[in-house]
Amino acid sequence: MAERKIRVLIAKPGLDGHDRGAKIVARALRDAGMEVIYTGLRRTPEEIVATALQEDVDVIGLSILSGAHNVLFPRIMDLLKEKGMHDVLVIAGGIIPQRDIPFLKKIGIAEIFLPGTSTQEIIDYIKKNVKKKAKNS
Amino acid sequence: MFSEKELEKIKKRKEKWENGTYSESIKKLPERMEKFTTISGKKIEKLYTPLDLKDLDYLKDLGFPGEYPFTRGIHPTMYRSRLWTMRQFSGFGTAEDTNKRYKYLLSQGQTGLSVAFHLPTLMGIDSDHPLAQGEIGKCGVAVDSLADMEILFDGIPLDKITTSMTINAPAAVLWAMYIAVAEKQGVSPKIISGTIQNDILKEYLAQKTFIFPPGPSMKLTIDTFEYGAKEVPRWNTISISGYHIREAGATAVQELAFTIRDGIEYVEWAIKRGLNIDDFAPRLSFFFNAHNDFFEEIAKFRAARKMWAKIMKERFNAKNPRSWWLRFHTQTSGVSLMAQQPYNNIIRVTIQALAAILGGTQSLHTNSLDETYALPSEEAVTIALRTQQILAYESGVANTIDPLGGSYFIEKLTLEMEKEAWNYIKKIDDMGGMVKAIEAGFPQKEIQDSAYWYQKAVETKEKIIVGVNEFKAEKEEEIPILYIDESVAKKQLERLKEVKKMRNKALVRQCLSDLKKAAQDDENLMPYILKAVKAYATLGEIIDSLKEIYGEYQEPISY
């Protein structure tokens, strides 16, 4: 049986419609052999976590350019904790000021990828840091 | 432009040069790249000569400024009489915060206002909506009701200043608020001037702040055309925008083609409504991106002007020469700004702004160096404005009309981009128009593919970005940025609560129910919206009422 592919949810919380980055990352991860689910725009923290649970993903990539990360990310992290999804690797990208990064890392976002990041860096990061669920499932 | 005989001589001489001087040179010193391309991937030749322009007819293709087909500019004197309007897009926090910034910008020599609303306003929801949490005042100024708009323009005379508002899905509502503020200042709607972006098609294509499905959205847009032509005659009721299409990843040609085709779609819908082309067409305006690839951008602006004139004159039989004008605003490219070594962004903006000016823009926004991090700080936006002023007053580029006209390269590029854009337009015509093409996902897919191609080109270093994939700094410096904290939200929510308490509730209810009925009866909604905003119905209440009738748009997911 084939090894289970890394499953990634690319999610867009926040009200902004800037999906260029999210779509490029989704496509690049798919081209790198991962299974990618993209939520579409303007998803609430509740919707994102519900989809992550239902799709049994290993990674959640949050893309936000609206400035609402300090409010929305903690809610997502709390909901993940509530559902016991401790193994899911959560990463984020977008327009995020440097001064917010320590706080976001403290609440459990593993890495923040800023503008100028190559898709290869993201692929490498995921491969290195993902805690894959039961293989051969 | 050259005689057959002359061209024959040039051709022979060029062949001799290619086989002699040139080929000897590249044996010793080969060219840096196998293929030179623009940022859009368009192939660029080593040299352009009169041979490339043998089909160019000066009078037919270029003509004179202020005359059809306007390739060299829509005004007879261009910047020799009046410079472009320096219009910095700005808005953050509460209406008080932004009002202060506007007064600062005007005191620094800015010549027009441009409002950036926060995302809840762009999406037609109030600040007390659950989805607004964390978003209040972040990406622009929070406007929930007429009360906010009154503060926003407090002390700014609306009979003297022109205002552009970047608002789309709920444009009719924000425009109504602006008209109401003008009336309160004692200024007649007949003399106020400015622009609402009001371009819903590019929302489905690129920016994605849509609310209603395409049909009802187009209806609302045409309502504003119709109302504006009668009641607010100096207002530009739409700014047909390529900017966001480009930002989403389109090539220069795709930006050009999709924008012009969007323009055609609006004209067709307006004519279907029964409007007379020359009554509304002079109020159509455009908005383009100025990206890094200098000559490609200049050619794009020139081609756009020529194409629109032709479309209006030949396809729609417009008689008023003003209907043939493609008047446009330009903003320098947001996506071209880099978080790494952010001061380099000043240089990028300068090059882009120069392209916009050489392309004949009517107004210009120059981005600030810190915009990959946040909305601009006062220091950063001042540098951006100064960039325009230096170009206007020191560089000499505004001294003559269309200074690059006649360049073999620019003229060839203009012709080629025009040709490629016509092909796209033909394709979309064949699909049944832009709304149909959007429903089929065609332009969206084209844009996504271009965005992905460019990302790959950067990652393979086929395209170099200074400070990002080459010439990296060992240590990145931090720059001061504007930070909007959650205290803004608190203030905004308090005001909204106050407004809801003070107003005549029965009147608000009546206005909203009249609005719904008018929507059901397919009447022009502008008078009803105007009445509702004057009664201090909130943006969210008005949009919710319309959602009941029109429903909401759900985008098909693809990447």
Side-chain angles (χ1 to χ4, degrees):
Chain A
M1 283 176 90
E3 188 180 325
R4 185 189 194 270
K5 284 183 177 178
I6 300 174
R7 287 175 69 79
V8 186
L9 180 70
I10 297 293
K12 269 207 65 69
L15 284 178
D16 70 291
H18 302 105
D19 56 5
R20 177 177 180 166
K23 286 182 167 188
I24 284 177
V25 170
R27 195 152 156 180
L29 298 183
R30 187 183 63 192
D31 288 355
M34 301 180 200
E35 280 193 45
V36 181
I37 301 113
Y38 170 51
T39 60
L41 297 169
R42 292 184 273 274
R43 296 296 131 192
T44 62
E46 290 75 13
E47 288 169 327
I48 290 166
V49 173
T51 309
L53 187 63
Q54 193 189 336
E55 296 285 348
D56 191 26
V57 297
D58 309 300
V59 183
I60 301 175
L62 301 167
S63 168
I64 190 163
L65 292 86
S66 79
H69 46 270
N70 284 345
V71 174
L72 298 176
F73 286 6
R75 273 167 49 195
I76 293 168
M77 297 315 288
D78 286 348
L79 285 165
L80 285 174
K81 243 182 256 162
E82 251 174 55
K83 307 272 180 205
M85 297 165 73
H86 307 284
D87 288 348
V88 178
L89 175 71
V90 183
I91 57 178
I95 300 291
I96 294 168
Q98 292 286 352
R99 63 184 273 187
D100 293 341
I101 292 176
F103 165 71
L104 297 176
K105 289 206 166 160
K106 209 179 105 203
I107 63 166
I109 312 278
E111 192 56 82
I112 315 278
F113 296 100
L114 294 178
T117 305
S118 75
T119 55
Q120 195 56 49
E121 280 171 67
I122 301 170
I123 293 164
D124 293 344
Y125 183 87
I126 290 176
K127 284 186 175 162
K128 197 168 151 219
N129 292 283
V130 69
K131 290 179 197 129
K132 268 206 278 186
K133 310 211 166 130
K135 287 186 177 182
N136 304 326
S137 62
Chain B
M1 291 207 290
F2 289 81
S3 69
E4 289 283 334
K5 212 176 125 199
E6 187 71 14
L7 285 172
E8 199 47 46
K9 279 203 311 213
I10 295 170
K11 192 173 166 215
K12 280 203 183 114
R13 189 64 182 273
K14 189 184 172 207
E15 277 164 13
K16 200 175 150 213
W17 171 76
E18 268 175 341
N19 298 327
T21 313
Y22 172 76
S23 58
E24 272 163 39
S25 174
I26 57 168
K27 267 182 237 155
K28 279 179 268 167
L29 188 64
E31 290 186 342
R32 287 181 292 117
M33 285 182 279
E34 231 168 78
K35 191 174 144 196
F36 289 78
T37 58
T38 67
I39 199 166
S40 303
K42 183 176 172 47
K43 188 171 177 237
I44 297 299
E45 302 299 336
K46 60 180 173 294
L47 184 76
Y48 293 83
T49 70
L51 296 172
D52 294 291
L53 302 182
K54 61 179 190 303
D55 298 325
L56 184 91
D57 179 329
Y58 183 88
L59 292 178
K60 205 172 116 260
D61 288 311
L62 303 177
F64 284 86
E67 290 181 5
Y68 188 85
F70 306 100
T71 312
R72 306 204 65 181
I74 57 165
H75 297 305
T77 56
M78 287 307 287
Y79 308 134
R80 287 168 66 93
S81 293
R82 194 170 62 193
L83 289 165
W84 61 93
T85 303
M86 299 178 191
R87 198 190 288 284
Q88 296 295 98
F89 181 45
S90 163
F92 62 92
T94 62
E96 287 89 349
D97 300 325
T98 301
N99 177 266
K100 222 168 103 192
R101 175 67 67 91
Y102 289 169
K103 287 177 175 161
Y104 169 77
L105 286 167
L106 291 170
S107 77
Q108 294 301 303
Q110 173 168 289
T111 49
L113 294 177
S114 173
V115 187
F117 295 105
H118 75 163
L119 276 160
T121 301
L122 298 181
M123 289 304 298
I125 64 176
D126 289 337
S127 295
D128 57 3
H129 190 285
L131 277 174
Q133 278 181 44
E135 310 273 9
I136 300 170
K138 290 278 166 63
C139 275
V141 58
V143 172
D144 293 317
S145 75
L146 180 57
D148 299 317
M149 209 69 153
E150 286 163 0
I151 297 165
L152 189 60
F153 291 101
D154 181 52
I156 296 170
L158 300 191
D159 53 342
K160 295 199 177 63
I161 212 82
T162 66
T163 304
S164 171
M165 289 189 277
T166 296
I167 190 74
N168 292 283
V173 184
L174 277 298
W175 188 36
M177 288 181 189
Y178 189 88
I179 294 168
V181 172
E183 284 179 354
K184 287 202 166 192
Q185 285 190 3
V187 177
S188 160
K190 300 270 183 209
I191 67 158
I192 59 169
S193 179
T195 308
I196 38 175
Q197 195 164 79
N198 204 18
D199 172 10
I200 199 66
L201 291 173
K202 66 92 175 53
E203 297 298 331
Y204 302 112
L205 287 181
Q207 188 168 240
K208 313 288 174 80
T209 49
F210 38 68
I211 300 174
F212 312 116
S217 294
M218 289 296 281
K219 178 243 174 330
L220 277 172
T221 301
I222 307 304
D223 280 0
T224 63
F225 288 9
E226 190 176 36
Y227 186 83
K230 280 195 215 104
E231 308 294 337
V232 202
R234 290 167 64 180
W235 198 273
N236 302 310
T237 38
I238 194 166
S239 173
I240 305 160
S241 307
Y243 185 83
H244 321 80
I245 294 173
R246 188 66 179 281
E247 290 287 295
T251 63
V253 164
Q254 288 166 347
E255 178 195 357
L256 172 64
F258 297 157
T259 309
I260 298 277
R261 190 59 190 74
D262 282 349
I264 293 172
E265 193 81 1
Y266 290 115
V267 172
E268 285 176 345
W269 282 63
I271 290 172
K272 246 190 282 168
R273 172 75 67 93
L275 304 188
N276 171 13
I277 182 115
D278 286 317
D279 287 344
F280 68 90
R283 300 325 302 175
L284 305 176
S285 64
F286 286 80
F287 173 23
F288 288 108
N289 198 300
H291 216 297
N292 278 338
D293 202 297
F294 189 64
F295 295 108
E296 184 172 54
E297 294 304 282
I298 298 166
K300 177 185 77 185
F301 301 128
R302 298 174 86 248
R305 248 189 323 265
K306 185 180 169 194
M307 291 173 75
W308 188 247
K310 194 175 156 75
I311 287 164
M312 294 310 282
K313 192 166 178 233
E314 293 179 9
R315 182 166 174 157
F316 293 115
N317 284 314
K319 299 281 181 269
N320 181 354
R322 286 203 165 217
S323 302
W324 306 338
W325 287 5
L326 180 137
R327 295 173 300 133
F328 71 102
H329 173 70
T330 308
Q331 181 170 340
T332 59
S333 164
V335 284
S336 76
L337 301 182
M338 291 299 142
Q340 295 76 11
Q341 305 177 38
Y343 288 106
N344 294 344
N345 290 330
I346 299 172
I347 320 301
R348 293 188 177 100
V349 168
T350 308
I351 295 167
Q352 297 162 2
L354 182 56
I357 296 160
L358 294 174
T361 196
Q362 273 60 62
S363 61
L364 180 60
H365 165 103
T366 32
N367 287 330
S368 298
L369 71 102
D370 53 357
E371 291 190 58
T372 58
Y373 291 103
L375 298 191
S377 69
E378 194 166 287
E379 293 72 27
V381 76
T382 306
I383 293 172
L385 177 60
R386 296 288 180 253
T387 304
Q388 292 199 40
Q389 291 164 336
I390 290 168
L391 287 166
Y393 297 102
E394 297 184 20
S395 75
V397 296
N399 289 347
T400 191
I401 304 166
D402 187 31
L404 291 183
S407 145
Y408 307 123
F409 178 36
I410 277 289
E411 297 300 357
K412 179 67 173 176
L413 210 47
T414 305
L415 289 173
E416 282 182 354
M417 292 182 79
E418 185 190 340
K419 196 172 147 220
E420 289 169 44
W422 285 126
N423 288 341
Y424 264 122
I425 288 171
K426 167 100 190 8
K427 207 167 193 173
I428 296 168
D429 281 345
D430 291 345
M431 297 176 88
M434 194 46 122
V435 169
K436 289 271 166 15
I438 287 167
E439 283 164 359
F442 170 70
Q444 299 94 313
K445 176 85 175 33
E446 292 288 297
I447 295 167
Q448 269 165 232
D449 287 348
S450 297
Y452 198 60
W453 167 83
Y454 180 71
Q455 179 65 28
K456 290 279 154 203
V458 170
E459 295 192 9
T460 55
K461 292 197 183 183
E462 186 188 329
K463 294 288 175 205
I464 298 296
I465 302 176
V466 173
V468 175
N469 64 359
E470 202 68 276
F471 315 113
K472 293 186 206 175
E474 274 185 17
K475 193 177 175 298
E476 287 289 341
E477 56 186 314
E478 264 193 58
I479 55 169
I481 61 165
L482 178 77
Y483 199 82
I484 295 150
D485 60 32
E486 300 301 319
S487 71
V488 164
K490 196 166 158 268
K491 260 195 262 171
Q492 186 62 23
L493 289 168
E494 274 165 18
R495 176 147 65 233
L496 181 57
K497 219 165 135 190
E498 192 65 19
V499 166
K500 285 188 175 173
K501 207 165 77 190
M502 301 295 287
R503 62 189 185 174
N504 178 339
K505 290 180 190 68
L507 179 62
V508 170
R509 267 199 302 275
Q510 187 59 47
C511 287
L512 293 175
S513 105
D514 290 350
L515 174 66
K516 273 190 273 189
K517 181 157 186 314
Q520 266 159 343
D521 296 346
D522 210 23
E523 286 184 62
N524 187 315
L525 299 185
M526 270 311 292
Y528 298 93
I529 293 172
L530 200 54
K531 248 176 132 172
V533 304
K534 284 180 183 170
Y536 294 89
T538 65
L539 171 65
E541 289 166 339
I542 293 170
I543 294 299
D544 279 349
S545 305
L546 294 176
K547 279 180 188 167
E548 284 179 35
I549 313 292
Y550 296 143
E552 289 182 69
Y553 181 70
Q554 290 298 334
E555 182 186 48
I557 288 173
S558 80
Y559 57 88

